[in-house]
Amino acid sequence: MRVLNVAAAQMGPIQKAESREEVVERMLAMMREARAQGADLIVYPELTLTTFFPRYYTTDKAEIEQWFERDMPNEPTRPLFDLARDARMAMSFGYAELTPEGRRFNTSILTDKTGAIVGKYRKVHLPGHSDYDTERSHQHLEKYYFEPGDLGFPVWRTLGGILGMCICNDRRWPETYRMMGLQGVEMILLGYNTPSVNAQKNAEGPSKRIFHSNLVVQAGAYQNSTWVVSVAKAGVEDGHPLIGGTVIVNPDGEIVAATEGEGDEMVVHACDLDDTAFGKKTIFDFARHRRIEHYGLITSQTGVVLPP
Ligand code: CDT
Protein backbone atom coordinates (compact mmCIF):
# COMPACT_ATOMS: atom_id res chain seq x y z
CA MET A 1 0.00 0.00 0.00
CA ARG A 2 1.19 3.52 -0.81
CA VAL A 3 -1.47 5.64 0.82
CA LEU A 4 -1.58 9.40 0.37
CA ASN A 5 -4.14 11.12 2.55
CA VAL A 6 -5.32 13.90 0.26
CA ALA A 7 -7.29 17.01 1.22
CA ALA A 8 -9.19 18.62 -1.64
CA ALA A 9 -9.60 22.20 -0.40
CA GLN A 10 -12.39 23.88 -2.32
CA MET A 11 -12.36 27.66 -1.98
CA GLY A 12 -15.54 29.67 -1.80
CA PRO A 13 -15.80 32.91 -3.72
CA ILE A 14 -13.07 35.56 -3.57
CA GLN A 15 -14.32 39.07 -4.17
CA LYS A 16 -12.36 41.54 -6.29
CA ALA A 17 -11.58 43.68 -3.24
CA GLU A 18 -10.23 40.81 -1.13
CA SER A 19 -6.49 40.98 -0.39
CA ARG A 20 -4.00 38.16 -0.79
CA GLU A 21 -3.59 38.17 3.00
CA GLU A 22 -7.32 37.58 3.55
CA VAL A 23 -7.31 34.70 1.06
CA VAL A 24 -4.19 33.16 2.60
CA GLU A 25 -5.90 33.27 6.04
CA ARG A 26 -8.74 31.18 4.61
CA MET A 27 -6.26 28.78 3.03
CA LEU A 28 -4.39 28.45 6.33
CA ALA A 29 -7.64 27.63 8.16
CA MET A 30 -8.22 24.74 5.79
CA MET A 31 -4.61 23.62 6.07
CA ARG A 32 -5.00 23.44 9.85
CA GLU A 33 -8.12 21.34 9.40
CA ALA A 34 -6.23 19.12 6.94
CA ARG A 35 -3.43 18.72 9.46
CA ALA A 36 -5.96 17.68 12.13
CA GLN A 37 -7.20 15.02 9.71
CA GLY A 38 -3.68 13.76 9.01
CA ALA A 39 -3.46 14.91 5.40
CA ASP A 40 -0.22 14.31 3.47
CA LEU A 41 -1.20 16.69 0.68
CA ILE A 42 -3.59 19.62 0.34
CA VAL A 43 -4.82 20.74 -3.07
CA TYR A 44 -6.31 24.20 -3.70
CA PRO A 45 -7.88 25.46 -6.94
CA GLU A 46 -6.77 27.40 -10.02
CA LEU A 47 -5.84 31.06 -9.38
CA THR A 48 -6.41 30.48 -5.68
CA LEU A 49 -5.09 33.81 -4.48
CA THR A 50 -7.50 36.16 -6.26
CA THR A 51 -10.92 36.48 -7.75
CA PHE A 52 -11.23 34.96 -11.24
CA PHE A 53 -9.96 38.20 -12.82
CA PRO A 54 -10.06 37.10 -16.50
CA ARG A 55 -13.72 38.13 -16.39
CA TYR A 56 -12.57 41.78 -16.22
CA TYR A 57 -11.21 43.74 -19.16
CA THR A 58 -8.63 46.48 -18.77
CA THR A 59 -5.75 47.80 -20.85
CA ASP A 60 -4.03 49.37 -17.86
CA LYS A 61 -0.71 47.57 -17.25
CA ALA A 62 -0.68 48.21 -13.51
CA GLU A 63 -4.25 47.02 -13.19
CA ILE A 64 -3.35 43.85 -15.11
CA GLU A 65 -0.21 43.15 -13.14
CA GLN A 66 -1.86 43.57 -9.72
CA TRP A 67 -3.27 40.07 -10.21
CA PHE A 68 0.15 38.46 -10.79
CA GLU A 69 2.86 37.05 -8.51
CA ARG A 70 6.47 37.85 -9.41
CA ASP A 71 7.92 35.34 -6.93
CA MET A 72 6.74 32.20 -5.25
CA PRO A 73 6.80 32.08 -2.32
CA ASN A 74 6.37 35.80 -1.76
CA GLU A 75 5.44 37.78 1.32
CA PRO A 76 1.70 37.10 1.39
CA THR A 77 2.06 33.38 0.60
CA ARG A 78 5.04 32.67 2.89
CA PRO A 79 2.76 31.61 5.83
CA LEU A 80 1.36 28.80 3.66
CA PHE A 81 4.82 27.41 3.01
CA ASP A 82 5.75 27.75 6.69
CA LEU A 83 2.65 25.98 7.98
CA ALA A 84 2.88 23.27 5.32
CA ARG A 85 6.49 22.58 6.32
CA ASP A 86 5.62 22.53 10.05
CA ALA A 87 2.67 20.21 9.36
CA ARG A 88 4.82 17.98 7.10
CA MET A 89 2.18 18.41 4.42
CA ALA A 90 2.72 18.80 0.68
CA MET A 91 0.55 21.38 -1.09
CA SER A 92 -0.53 22.50 -4.53
CA PHE A 93 -2.20 25.75 -5.55
CA GLY A 94 -2.68 27.88 -8.62
CA TYR A 95 -1.72 31.51 -9.18
CA ALA A 96 -1.08 34.02 -11.94
CA GLU A 97 2.66 34.05 -12.66
CA LEU A 98 4.62 37.04 -14.01
CA THR A 99 8.12 36.01 -15.06
CA PRO A 100 11.19 38.29 -14.84
CA GLU A 101 10.94 38.61 -18.65
CA GLY A 102 7.37 39.90 -18.34
CA ARG A 103 5.64 36.72 -19.53
CA ARG A 104 2.31 35.85 -17.96
CA PHE A 105 1.14 32.30 -17.24
CA ASN A 106 -1.72 30.58 -15.43
CA THR A 107 0.41 28.40 -13.15
CA SER A 108 0.21 25.71 -10.46
CA ILE A 109 2.92 24.54 -8.12
CA LEU A 110 3.45 21.41 -6.07
CA THR A 111 5.60 21.30 -2.94
CA ASP A 112 6.99 18.35 -1.04
CA LYS A 113 6.52 17.95 2.71
CA THR A 114 9.40 20.33 3.48
CA GLY A 115 7.67 23.20 1.68
CA ALA A 116 10.12 23.06 -1.25
CA ILE A 117 8.59 23.54 -4.70
CA VAL A 118 9.17 20.31 -6.61
CA GLY A 119 6.87 20.89 -9.57
CA LYS A 120 5.53 23.72 -11.68
CA TYR A 121 2.91 23.51 -14.41
CA ARG A 122 1.72 26.27 -16.74
CA LYS A 123 -1.77 25.91 -18.21
CA VAL A 124 -1.66 24.73 -21.81
CA HIS A 125 -5.31 24.92 -22.88
CA LEU A 126 -6.43 28.52 -22.39
CA PRO A 127 -10.16 28.88 -22.99
CA GLY A 128 -12.13 31.97 -23.91
CA HIS A 129 -11.01 34.85 -26.08
CA SER A 130 -8.28 37.45 -26.46
CA ASP A 131 -10.38 40.59 -27.11
CA TYR A 132 -13.33 42.18 -25.37
CA ASP A 133 -16.42 40.35 -26.69
CA THR A 134 -19.68 42.32 -26.73
CA GLU A 135 -21.71 39.18 -27.56
CA ARG A 136 -21.01 37.39 -24.27
CA SER A 137 -22.98 37.69 -21.05
CA HIS A 138 -19.58 37.73 -19.26
CA GLN A 139 -15.99 37.90 -20.41
CA HIS A 140 -13.51 35.02 -20.28
CA LEU A 141 -10.25 36.72 -21.25
CA GLU A 142 -7.70 34.01 -20.48
CA LYS A 143 -6.20 34.30 -23.97
CA TYR A 144 -5.71 38.01 -23.27
CA TYR A 145 -4.12 37.69 -19.84
CA PHE A 146 -1.96 34.59 -20.36
CA GLU A 147 0.17 32.87 -22.94
CA PRO A 148 -0.12 29.09 -23.34
CA GLY A 149 2.09 27.11 -20.98
CA ASP A 150 5.57 26.27 -22.24
CA LEU A 151 6.40 23.35 -19.95
CA GLY A 152 4.27 20.58 -21.49
CA PHE A 153 2.72 18.07 -19.10
CA PRO A 154 5.53 16.98 -16.78
CA VAL A 155 5.13 14.53 -13.92
CA TRP A 156 7.24 14.30 -10.78
CA ARG A 157 8.46 11.46 -8.60
CA THR A 158 7.46 12.73 -5.19
CA LEU A 159 5.46 11.70 -2.11
CA GLY A 160 6.20 8.07 -2.89
CA GLY A 161 4.49 8.17 -6.28
CA ILE A 162 4.28 9.84 -9.68
CA LEU A 163 2.24 13.03 -9.64
CA GLY A 164 1.19 15.51 -12.32
CA MET A 165 -0.88 18.67 -12.60
CA CYS A 166 -3.20 20.36 -15.03
CA ILE A 167 -5.49 23.37 -14.74
CA CYS A 168 -9.21 23.81 -15.31
CA ASN A 169 -9.91 23.74 -19.06
CA ASP A 170 -7.06 21.25 -19.52
CA ARG A 171 -9.33 18.68 -17.84
CA ARG A 172 -11.66 18.68 -20.83
CA TRP A 173 -8.94 17.43 -23.23
CA PRO A 174 -8.05 13.71 -23.28
CA GLU A 175 -4.56 14.59 -24.49
CA THR A 176 -3.85 16.19 -21.10
CA TYR A 177 -4.35 12.94 -19.19
CA ARG A 178 -2.74 10.73 -21.84
CA MET A 179 0.44 12.81 -21.89
CA MET A 180 0.77 12.20 -18.17
CA GLY A 181 -0.55 8.63 -18.45
CA LEU A 182 2.33 7.85 -20.83
CA GLN A 183 4.71 8.89 -18.05
CA GLY A 184 3.03 6.56 -15.56
CA VAL A 185 1.12 9.19 -13.63
CA GLU A 186 -0.59 7.93 -10.48
CA MET A 187 -2.28 11.11 -9.29
CA ILE A 188 -3.29 14.24 -11.20
CA LEU A 189 -3.99 17.43 -9.26
CA LEU A 190 -6.18 20.04 -10.85
CA GLY A 191 -8.02 23.18 -9.86
CA TYR A 192 -10.69 25.09 -11.71
CA ASN A 193 -12.84 28.23 -11.94
CA THR A 194 -15.83 27.30 -14.07
CA PRO A 195 -18.63 29.85 -14.52
CA SER A 196 -22.00 28.31 -13.61
CA VAL A 197 -23.55 29.50 -16.86
CA ASN A 198 -22.21 29.16 -20.41
CA ALA A 199 -21.64 32.75 -21.61
CA GLN A 200 -22.68 31.78 -25.14
CA LYS A 201 -25.54 29.41 -24.25
CA ASN A 202 -27.33 30.66 -21.16
CA ALA A 203 -29.56 27.57 -20.96
CA GLU A 204 -26.47 25.57 -19.97
CA GLY A 205 -26.49 26.03 -16.22
CA PRO A 206 -24.72 24.62 -13.17
CA SER A 207 -26.06 21.05 -13.17
CA LYS A 208 -24.92 20.38 -16.72
CA ARG A 209 -21.60 22.12 -16.05
CA ILE A 210 -20.94 19.92 -13.01
CA PHE A 211 -21.98 16.88 -15.07
CA HIS A 212 -19.39 17.80 -17.73
CA SER A 213 -16.73 18.44 -15.11
CA ASN A 214 -17.26 15.02 -13.53
CA LEU A 215 -17.59 13.31 -16.91
CA VAL A 216 -14.15 14.43 -18.06
CA VAL A 217 -12.24 13.82 -14.84
CA GLN A 218 -13.83 10.40 -14.32
CA ALA A 219 -13.01 9.40 -17.91
CA GLY A 220 -9.46 10.75 -17.61
CA ALA A 221 -8.91 8.83 -14.38
CA TYR A 222 -10.28 5.54 -15.72
CA GLN A 223 -8.62 5.66 -19.14
CA ASN A 224 -5.21 6.29 -17.58
CA SER A 225 -5.75 4.35 -14.36
CA THR A 226 -4.85 7.30 -12.16
CA TRP A 227 -6.26 9.18 -9.22
CA VAL A 228 -7.59 12.65 -10.05
CA VAL A 229 -8.11 15.38 -7.45
CA SER A 230 -10.34 18.04 -9.00
CA VAL A 231 -10.84 21.17 -6.90
CA ALA A 232 -13.18 24.11 -7.48
CA LYS A 233 -13.17 27.75 -6.68
CA ALA A 234 -16.90 28.12 -6.23
CA GLY A 235 -19.70 30.50 -5.38
CA VAL A 236 -20.63 34.01 -6.39
CA GLU A 237 -17.73 36.39 -7.04
CA ASP A 238 -19.02 39.96 -7.34
CA GLY A 239 -22.23 38.72 -8.97
CA HIS A 240 -20.54 36.05 -11.12
CA PRO A 241 -21.40 32.46 -10.07
CA LEU A 242 -18.89 29.61 -10.30
CA ILE A 243 -19.75 25.91 -9.92
CA GLY A 244 -18.58 23.81 -6.97
CA GLY A 245 -18.35 20.08 -7.56
CA THR A 246 -14.92 19.32 -6.08
CA VAL A 247 -14.23 15.57 -6.34
CA ILE A 248 -11.59 12.96 -5.70
CA VAL A 249 -11.80 10.22 -8.35
CA ASN A 250 -10.20 6.79 -8.07
CA PRO A 251 -8.39 4.92 -10.89
CA ASP A 252 -11.64 3.10 -11.72
CA GLY A 253 -13.18 6.48 -12.53
CA GLU A 254 -15.42 6.47 -9.44
CA ILE A 255 -16.03 9.53 -7.27
CA VAL A 256 -14.89 8.64 -3.76
CA ALA A 257 -15.24 12.07 -2.12
CA ALA A 258 -17.16 15.21 -3.09
CA THR A 259 -18.00 18.60 -1.62
CA GLU A 260 -21.61 19.59 -1.11
CA GLY A 261 -21.65 23.37 -1.16
CA GLU A 262 -20.03 26.40 -2.77
CA GLY A 263 -17.99 27.72 0.15
CA ASP A 264 -14.58 26.94 1.66
CA GLU A 265 -15.02 23.19 2.12
CA MET A 266 -12.59 20.34 2.40
CA VAL A 267 -12.91 16.63 1.71
CA VAL A 268 -10.19 14.17 2.66
CA HIS A 269 -9.62 10.72 1.22
CA ALA A 270 -6.95 8.05 1.72
CA CYS A 271 -5.74 7.38 -1.83
CA ASP A 272 -3.68 4.21 -2.31
CA LEU A 273 -1.37 4.80 -5.26
CA ASP A 274 -1.03 1.02 -5.63
CA ASP A 275 -4.67 1.04 -6.80
CA THR A 276 -3.40 2.44 -10.10
CA ALA A 277 -1.44 -0.74 -10.88
CA PHE A 278 -4.25 -3.08 -11.96
CA GLY A 279 -5.59 -0.88 -14.78
CA LYS A 280 -2.08 -0.01 -15.93
CA LYS A 281 -1.13 -3.66 -16.39
CA THR A 282 -4.44 -4.90 -17.87
CA ILE A 283 -6.94 -3.01 -20.02
CA PHE A 284 -4.81 0.16 -20.12
CA ASP A 285 -1.42 -1.48 -20.54
CA PHE A 286 -0.37 1.09 -23.13
CA ALA A 287 2.70 -0.80 -24.32
CA ARG A 288 0.58 -3.83 -25.30
CA HIS A 289 -2.57 -2.20 -26.63
CA ARG A 290 -1.98 1.29 -28.06
CA ARG A 291 -1.77 1.61 -31.86
CA ILE A 292 0.23 4.77 -32.45
CA GLU A 293 0.46 4.07 -36.19
CA HIS A 294 -3.19 5.17 -36.31
CA TYR A 295 -2.94 8.24 -34.08
CA GLY A 296 -0.88 10.54 -36.32
CA LEU A 297 -3.65 13.13 -36.82
CA ILE A 298 -3.65 13.87 -33.11
CA THR A 299 -0.28 15.61 -33.34
CA SER A 300 -0.18 16.60 -37.03
CA GLN A 301 -3.53 18.39 -37.20
CA THR A 302 -5.13 20.89 -34.80
CA GLY A 303 -8.65 21.52 -36.15
CA VAL A 304 -11.19 19.40 -37.98
CA VAL A 305 -10.60 18.67 -41.69
CA LEU A 306 -13.75 17.27 -43.26
CA PRO A 307 -13.55 14.45 -45.81
CA PRO A 308 -13.78 15.58 -49.45
N1 CDT B 1 -10.83 28.60 -15.94
C1 CDT B 1 -11.25 27.88 -16.97
O1 CDT B 1 -10.45 27.32 -17.70
N2 CDT B 1 -12.57 27.80 -17.14
C2 CDT B 1 -13.15 27.15 -18.27
C3 CDT B 1 -14.40 27.86 -18.66
C4 CDT B 1 -14.72 27.56 -20.04
S1 CDT B 1 -15.85 28.68 -20.70
C5 CDT B 1 -14.86 29.84 -21.50
C6 CDT B 1 -13.47 25.68 -18.04
O2 CDT B 1 -13.17 24.88 -18.94
O3 CDT B 1 -14.07 25.32 -17.03
Side-chain angles (χ1 to χ4, degrees), residues 6-11 43-46 166-169 171-172 177 187-194 209-210 212-218 221 227-233 243-250 255 257-259 265 267 271:
V6 178
Q10 174 175 293
M11 297 287 291
V43 184
Y44 300 98
E46 175 190 35
C166 66
I167 301 178
C168 195
N169 191 261
R171 76 195 189 286
R172 304 187 192 276
Y177 305 88
M187 180 175 283
I188 295 174
L189 316 176
L190 77 92
Y192 58 90
N193 285 258
T194 297
R209 294 216 129 187
I210 289 181
H212 287 155
S213 189
N214 290 342
L215 182 69
V216 292
V217 296
Q218 290 181 252
W227 290 90
V228 178
V229 183
S230 175
V231 184
K233 176 135 70 60
I243 60 168
T246 294
V247 288
I248 299 177
V249 178
N250 73 16
I255 294 172
T259 55
E265 182 182 345
V267 287
C271 305

